[in-house]
């Protein structure tokens, strides 16, 4: 292995990725690419391995096989260019700390050993909080924030990293409609600045109006590509199986009336 | 009294123990590993016994080395069990705790059967023997405490991050496993500090209690950790001083009783999180709601009668309404929001305004 670049033209390149927990495969032979500058959604049913996929990209879970590169290099070499927003439920929100403090944590990696965050770090964290409209809550203990506010604090912690690729795990889960709108607009602004935004998304209704790239996942990759090409009844059915009952009647799925189209009448 | 040499030693030892266990206990608690201190202290017992068997005497150095050794093995067992079996952390901690303590007790009885004259007081390690603390022990304890404090200060933000969000910490490139090992080893070292003072059985309380008490009082880690150290030290000194009041009072258990007192008071009284505080808060809240409810009721009745400030048509007099309403009326009267006219309760001008405000607020929220 040298430091030759592998697929440098792709923001994210995943090849042959297989991950298992206790001998049970969770991701099987995943191959996918995401070009730079898109806003991509990862969708799939519960337990499809979406969070696991994000964590494997970040090197948090050792894969059984396969590799991942970001702009041609492994994650270890690109750490500073990647911002990560974990699922909100993954931490204890009763932890004794403030909103500003949590955002400052986004800078710990850049700060280096033995150094305490100072005025400069606090200022940058404040700016990130202002970007998500949370500047008035900087000193608030995090358990005193609503779910949507906690989510925005998490988002600000990633923003402060000023990354080129953002990976977000269900940032819109348990968030009210106004906050959801604000988050989406912020993410779209990031994309318009040329950054790559990858979002694990649970709401099929909004996939087509918000995202321009789509990865459909259920242990294996079902489909990937530009949303308008990938969004078909057949792909949805193959991803969700019988579980699909989430689509409005007006969802203009281009394929002939398949099981998904029929199921859509139910909602 | 403080001039007493033994007491000086005991107080200094208690201060060191309080500081180190308060600081490290805070991190253990926030990582939801409160039981870790318990496990490591029980695991120290077989180590102490092994140290004694090897050295053939109660030499502090070898006893501590033994304690540290078995503590490390126990910690390793916990890590391996949680990683490679389906056991959750608490189950793994419990298993390692009971196994190593049983082993320790067996070794202890074995030593007692050896009839070695030097064994005297070896079982003091179960509950501590503070009065036997020597200056050389203190030096060792001070060294360990200083090391722990320096590490915590230097690695503050790293420790904070791995406690709050270990996944994010690893994504940032922090060596999370290594940092966790450092924290665990330091707790094992704190146990060594506490061995002489409070003994293996009570050491667990020393690790958990100051942190639990401090958490009640502050929502900031930067305040909570020093506060925990302060609680630990205060309990240590109090216990040491109380033990001088009577002959033969054991210092270790007294220290634990003091720190438990801190916990009790904190659980009850701390603002926001204390049980009594919360109950009082809810009581005040309910009283305010009752008053508001009565105000708006009077307001509505007044507007039915077409007279802006007239009270209810029927007498809301003392003998006419239930005691609870009467109490609320009294409260409102004291606040000058209702007054008695013609044996009728009526809203005053202020009361009228207040009621209108409440209703406006309710409507504002509904839309
Ligand atoms: N730490 C873990 N240990 C064992 N199994 C896990 C673990 N995390 C996830 N899984 C399993 O892996 C599968 C995929 O999980 P996940 O990636 O969280 O799915 P998703 O995010 O798509 O809902 C699920 O069946 C889940 O039960
Ligand atoms: Mg998930």
């Amino acid at each position: 292995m040298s430091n030759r670049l592998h697929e440098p033209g792709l923001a994210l390149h995943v090849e042959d990725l297989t991950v298992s927990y206790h001998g049970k495969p969770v991701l099987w032979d995943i191959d996918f690419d995401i070009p730079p500058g898109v806003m991509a959604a990862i969708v799939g049913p519960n337990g499809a391995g979406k969070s696991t996929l994000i964590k494997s990209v970040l090197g948090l879970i050792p894969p059984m096989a396969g590799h991942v590169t970001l702009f041609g290099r492994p994650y270890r070499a690109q750490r500073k260019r990647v911002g990560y927003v974990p699922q909100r439920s993954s931490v204890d929100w009763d932890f004794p700390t403030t909103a500003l403090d949590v955002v400052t944590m986004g800078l710990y990696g850049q700060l280096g050993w033995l150094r305490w965050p100072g005025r400069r770090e606090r200022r940058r964290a404040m700016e990130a909080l202002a970007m998500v409209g949370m500047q008035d809550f900087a000193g608030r203990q995090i358990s005193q924030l609503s779910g949507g506010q906690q989510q925005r604090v998490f988002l600000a912690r990633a923003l402060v990293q000023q990354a080129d690729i953002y990976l977000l795990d269900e940032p819109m889960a348990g968030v009210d409609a106004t906050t959801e709108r604000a988050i989406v607009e912020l993410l779209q602004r990031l994309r318009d600045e040329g950054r790559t935004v990858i979002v694990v998304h649970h709401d099929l209704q909004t996939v087509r109006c918000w995202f321009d790239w789509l990865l459909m996942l259920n242990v294996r990759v079902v489909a990937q590509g530009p949303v308008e090409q990938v969004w078909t009844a057949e792909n949805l059915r193959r991803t969700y199986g019988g579980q699909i009952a989430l689509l409005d009647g007006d969802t203009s799925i281009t394929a002939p009336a398949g099981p998904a189209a029929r199921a859509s009448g139910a909602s | 009294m403080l001039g007493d040499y033994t007491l000086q030693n005991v107080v200094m030892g208690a201060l060191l123990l309080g500081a180190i266990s308060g600081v490290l206990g805070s991190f253990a608690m926030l990582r939801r590993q409160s039981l870790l201190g318990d496990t490591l202290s029980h695991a120290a017992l077989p180590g102490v016994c092994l140290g004694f068997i090897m050295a053939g005497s109660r030499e502090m150095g070898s006893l501590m080395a033994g304690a540290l050794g078995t503590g490390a093995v126990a910690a390793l067992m916990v890590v391996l069990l949680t990683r490679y079996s389906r056991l959750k952390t608490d189950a793994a901690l419990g298993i390692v705790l009971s196994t190593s303590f049983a082993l320790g007790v067996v070794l202890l009885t074995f030593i007692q059967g050896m009839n070695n004259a030097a064994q005297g007081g070896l079982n003091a390690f179960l509950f501590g023997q503070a009065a036997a603390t020597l200056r050389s022990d203190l030096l060792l304890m001070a060294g360990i405490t200083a090391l722990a404090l320096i590490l915590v200060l230097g690695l503050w933000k790293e420790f904070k991050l791995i406690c709050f969000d270990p996944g994010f910490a690893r994504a940032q490139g922090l060596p999370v496993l290594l940092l966790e090992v450092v924290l665990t080893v330091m707790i094992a070292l704190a146990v060594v500090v506490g061995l002489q003072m409070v003994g293996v059985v009570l050491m667990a309380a020393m690790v958990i209690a100051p942190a639990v008490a401090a958490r009640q009082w502050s929502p900031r880690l930067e305040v909570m950790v020093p506060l925990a150290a302060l609680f630990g030290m205060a309990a240590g000194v109090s216990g040491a001083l109380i033990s001088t009041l009577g002959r033969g009072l054991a210092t270790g258990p007294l220290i634990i009783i003091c720190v438990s007192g801190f916990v009790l008071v904190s659980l009850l009284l701390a603002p926001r999180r204390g049980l009594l505080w919360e109950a009082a808060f809810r009581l005040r809240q309910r009283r305010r709601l009752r008053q508001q409810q009565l105000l708006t009721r009077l307001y509505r009745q007044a507007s039915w009668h077409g007279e802006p400030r007239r009270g209810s048509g029927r007498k809301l007099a003392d003998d006419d309404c239930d005691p609870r309403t009467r109490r609320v009326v009294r409260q409102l009267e004291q606040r000058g929001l209702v007054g008695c006219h013609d044996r009728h309760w009526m809203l005053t001008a202020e009361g009228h305004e207040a009621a209108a405000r409440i209703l406006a607020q309710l409507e504002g929220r509904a839309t």
Side-chain angles (χ1 to χ4, degrees):
Chain A
M1 291 295 279
S2 67
N3 47 11
R4 262 220 322 277
L5 298 181
H6 182 69
E7 299 285 2
L10 293 169
L12 176 59
H13 168 71
V14 174
E15 204 172 304
D16 297 337
L17 184 73
T18 298
V19 176
S20 71
Y21 287 117
H22 305 297
K24 183 178 137 251
V26 174
L27 293 174
W28 193 257
D29 210 6
I30 302 278
D31 280 305
F32 77 93
D33 299 316
I34 290 180
V38 300
M39 182 147 149
I42 300 177
V43 301
N46 279 332
K50 305 181 296 291
S51 300
T52 305
L53 178 59
I54 298 268
K55 286 181 193 160
S56 324
V57 169
L58 295 167
L60 301 183
I61 299 174
M64 243 175 68
H67 69 257
V68 174
T69 59
L70 299 131
F71 291 114
R73 288 205 173 85
Y75 175 73
R76 293 156 50 85
Q78 300 285 43
R79 214 173 261 142
K80 295 213 161 75
R81 298 177 69 183
V82 181
Y84 171 41
V85 180
Q87 258 174 306
R88 181 161 54 91
S89 55
S90 65
V91 304
D92 171 18
W93 289 93
D94 197 35
F95 194 86
T97 190
T98 60
L100 184 69
D101 228 21
V102 172
V103 179
T104 314
M105 289 176 188
L107 294 167
Y108 285 4
Q110 304 172 14
L111 208 51
W113 292 98
L114 299 179
R115 298 212 13 236
W116 282 52
R119 190 173 303 156
R120 212 173 70 90
E121 283 72 30
R122 269 198 300 280
R123 205 196 59 236
R124 282 181 63 186
M126 263 322 265
E127 286 167 8
L129 269 179
M131 280 176 75
V132 298
M134 287 287 293
Q135 63 277 28
D136 296 338
F137 298 87
R140 187 75 73 90
Q141 210 270 316
I142 54 173
S143 68
Q144 310 283 321
L145 300 171
S146 73
Q149 291 170 335
Q150 291 173 348
Q151 192 65 65
R152 283 190 277 166
V153 167
F154 252 25
L155 193 58
R157 183 178 68 171
L159 289 177
V160 82
Q161 295 177 276
Q162 305 201 320
D164 294 324
I165 305 180
Y166 283 98
L167 295 161
L168 304 92
D169 200 343
E170 306 221 9
M172 267 77 104
V175 154
D176 63 73
T178 326
T179 308
E180 182 163 331
R181 174 121 306 212
I183 291 177
V184 169
E185 276 165 13
L186 189 71
L187 296 180
Q188 286 174 338
R189 208 158 64 232
L190 290 174
R191 177 203 49 199
D192 296 341
E193 288 168 7
R195 303 173 206 265
T196 311
V197 180
I198 302 169
V199 182
V200 171
H201 195 58
H202 65 285
D203 181 10
L204 287 180
Q205 313 269 4
T206 48
V207 167
R208 283 185 318 146
C209 46
W210 289 345
F211 296 94
D212 39 32
W213 198 268
L214 183 60
L215 172 69
M216 292 169 128
L217 186 75
N218 192 351
V219 184
R220 311 180 63 170
V221 172
V222 174
Q224 58 173 319
V227 174
E228 60 272 18
Q229 286 172 26
V230 174
W231 187 262
T232 64
E234 173 60 13
N235 283 340
L236 283 166
R237 191 189 55 72
R238 282 173 52 209
T239 312
Y240 286 89
Q243 298 176 33
I244 191 160
L246 313 136
L247 301 171
D248 279 333
D250 71 341
T251 313
S252 48
I253 293 170
T254 45
R262 223 178 305 133
S264 69
S267 72
Chain B
M1 188 174 70
L2 275 171
D4 182 76
Y5 179 78
T6 312
L7 184 61
Q8 269 179 8
N9 282 357
V10 172
V11 166
M12 275 195 279
L15 281 172
L16 291 170
L17 173 63
I20 190 172
S21 48
V23 169
L24 296 179
S26 296
F27 289 103
M29 183 190 95
L30 291 173
R31 286 168 63 217
R32 275 167 279 185
Q33 294 202 339
S34 302
L35 261 179
L36 188 63
D38 209 357
T39 304
L40 292 187
S41 53
H42 283 82
L45 188 61
V48 167
C49 296
L50 284 176
F52 176 82
I53 292 172
M54 286 183 190
S57 73
R58 279 197 58 191
E59 189 216 329
M60 203 60 191
S62 55
L63 299 192
M64 284 186 170
L68 207 58
T70 47
V73 171
L76 193 70
M77 289 303 294
V78 172
V79 170
L80 291 179
L81 277 177
T82 41
R83 211 154 245 231
Y84 296 106
S85 81
R86 286 180 173 231
L87 288 183
K88 299 272 178 294
T89 310
D90 57 343
L93 285 169
I95 287 172
V96 174
L97 182 155
S98 36
T99 311
S100 44
F101 190 58
L103 211 63
V105 173
V106 168
L107 282 174
L108 206 56
T109 46
F110 171 72
I111 291 171
Q112 275 162 350
M114 289 196 326
N115 265 333
N116 182 336
Q119 81 184 36
L122 192 60
N123 52 8
F125 283 111
L126 276 177
F127 297 107
Q129 195 178 32
T133 312
L134 303 173
R135 271 288 142 88
S136 55
D137 302 343
L138 278 182
L139 225 53
L140 187 66
M141 288 159 71
I144 291 174
T145 307
L147 176 72
L149 292 185
I150 288 169
L151 273 174
V152 166
L153 274 179
L155 299 173
W156 182 268
K157 67 177 192 305
E158 285 80 9
F159 285 151
K160 182 166 155 186
L161 189 52
I162 65 165
C163 291
F164 175 61
D165 193 347
F168 188 79
R170 273 181 62 201
Q172 298 281 293
L174 291 185
V176 173
L177 190 64
L178 181 68
L179 288 165
E180 280 175 348
V181 168
V182 170
L183 270 178
T184 307
V185 168
M186 285 200 301
I187 290 178
L189 284 167
V191 169
V192 169
V193 173
L195 223 49
Q196 182 79 40
M197 298 297 301
V198 296
V200 298
V201 176
L202 291 174
M203 187 57 203
M206 207 53 211
V207 172
I208 301 169
V212 168
R215 176 66 187 94
Q216 289 291 102
W217 297 96
S218 174
R220 300 281 323 261
L221 188 67
E222 283 73 12
V223 180
M224 175 192 156
V225 173
L227 200 59
L230 213 64
F231 282 157
M233 294 194 291
V237 174
S238 320
L241 293 181
I242 294 172
S243 72
T244 62
L245 297 180
R247 276 182 66 83
L249 281 180
T251 313
L254 279 171
I255 292 177
I256 302 303
I257 288 176
C258 287
V259 80
S260 307
F262 287 161
V263 170
L264 196 68
V265 169
S266 307
L267 285 180
L268 288 179
L269 295 184
R272 270 175 235 286
R273 300 174 77 90
L275 292 174
L276 283 182
W277 194 93
E278 221 187 322
F281 177 80
R282 238 181 264 142
L283 209 68
R284 267 204 312 272
Q285 197 86 344
R286 198 153 47 197
R287 177 189 292 182
R288 221 190 61 206
L289 281 183
R290 285 227 178 84
Q291 293 183 3
Q292 294 187 340
Q293 192 270 339
L294 193 66
L295 269 184
T296 56
R297 193 171 113 206
L298 287 172
Y299 180 86
R300 218 161 26 120
Q301 285 170 342
S303 54
W304 277 341
H305 289 274
E307 294 172 43
R309 271 197 284 127
R310 198 160 178 297
S312 105
R314 86 194 146 83
K315 275 188 287 186
L316 255 177
D318 282 5
D319 46 297
D320 207 30
C321 49
D322 63 295
R324 184 188 280 168
T325 314
R326 201 180 305 156
R327 215 172 44 233
V328 178
V329 170
R330 282 279 149 68
Q331 290 161 2
L332 286 173
E333 189 184 15
Q334 268 173 21
R335 288 174 60 196
L337 298 179
V338 301
C340 191
H341 266 280
D342 237 358
R343 309 189 66 204
H344 290 247
W345 290 105
M346 292 194 197
L347 293 175
T348 62
E350 289 89 26
H352 197 79
E353 254 173 52
R357 230 184 0 253
I358 293 163
L359 286 174
Q361 250 173 28
L362 280 176
E363 269 160 35
R365 203 178 305 161
T367 52

